[in-house]
Amino acid sequence: MPLMGWIERAAQNSNFFAGKGRERKVRHLKAYAIFFSMKREATFMTGSGNGKDDDAEIIGALPAMAVKTRPKTKKPSQYKVYLLNDDYTPMEFVVHILEKYFNKNHEDAVRIMLHVHRHGAGLCGVYTREVAETKVSQVLAAARRAQHPLQCTMEKE
């Protein structure tokens, strides 16, 4: 029985090929079958089959195969969002901003607010560029609406 016919029958009758990814498994098995049948023919044509250099000869005898390459995706740049201290914005408002726009619980919001108050700036979170820009604009708009001079910035990590 030809090898491809055996693969087709095994694919229909075996539980190994059932379920998600069936087509991919069958494709891979067919590719291996083609490779090994070509390797067998190349060994028959090129040599004894017992030397170390036989694999190099076999690979050289195989026709070139098209290989799909996937583009490497790189992680997006991360940006740190900081709140800056001023002498006029109430501490309660800063805590409210941290809870509302940065999803901090009350204890973390108070801790960050005190860090901003004591050190001049405090890290609120690290986000992708678009998310960081959105959070900065939301904080500045809320501070403007409440007539507070609170400043929020972002910088690349």
Side-chain angles (χ1 to χ4, degrees), residues 25-139:
K25 291 175 187 175
V26 171
R27 263 196 325 270
H28 284 267
L29 190 56
K30 285 181 180 179
Y32 289 135
I34 291 169
F35 174 77
F36 286 116
S37 67
M38 292 166 67
K39 182 176 178 180
R40 184 181 52 210
E41 290 172 17
T43 302
F44 177 73
M45 293 187 311
T46 60
S48 61
N50 60 5
K52 289 184 178 179
D53 293 331
D54 281 345
D55 284 338
E57 291 176 20
I58 291 166
I59 291 172
L62 295 175
M65 295 179 143
V67 177
K68 275 182 153 178
T69 58
R70 292 183 181 168
K72 296 284 184 184
T73 56
K74 65 178 194 175
K75 288 187 173 184
S77 298
Q78 297 289 303
Y79 289 80
K80 296 178 182 178
V81 177
Y82 290 99
L83 280 181
L84 304 179
N85 189 32
D86 63 72
D87 293 334
Y88 303 104
T89 304
M91 293 180 178
E92 295 81 21
F93 182 74
V94 175
V95 170
H96 170 71
I97 291 291
L98 289 165
E99 290 173 347
K100 182 173 181 179
Y101 296 107
F102 296 99
N103 298 319
K104 302 293 183 186
N105 60 37
H106 188 73
E107 292 78 25
D108 287 341
V110 169
R111 184 182 49 78
I112 294 170
M113 178 272 302
L114 289 174
H115 188 272
V116 170
H117 182 69
R118 291 181 183 139
H119 298 100
L123 179 65
C124 301
V126 180
Y127 308 96
T128 59
R129 192 186 85 211
E130 293 83 10
V131 174
E133 287 173 347
T134 301
K135 293 203 179 281
V136 168
S137 65
Q138 287 174 334
V139 169

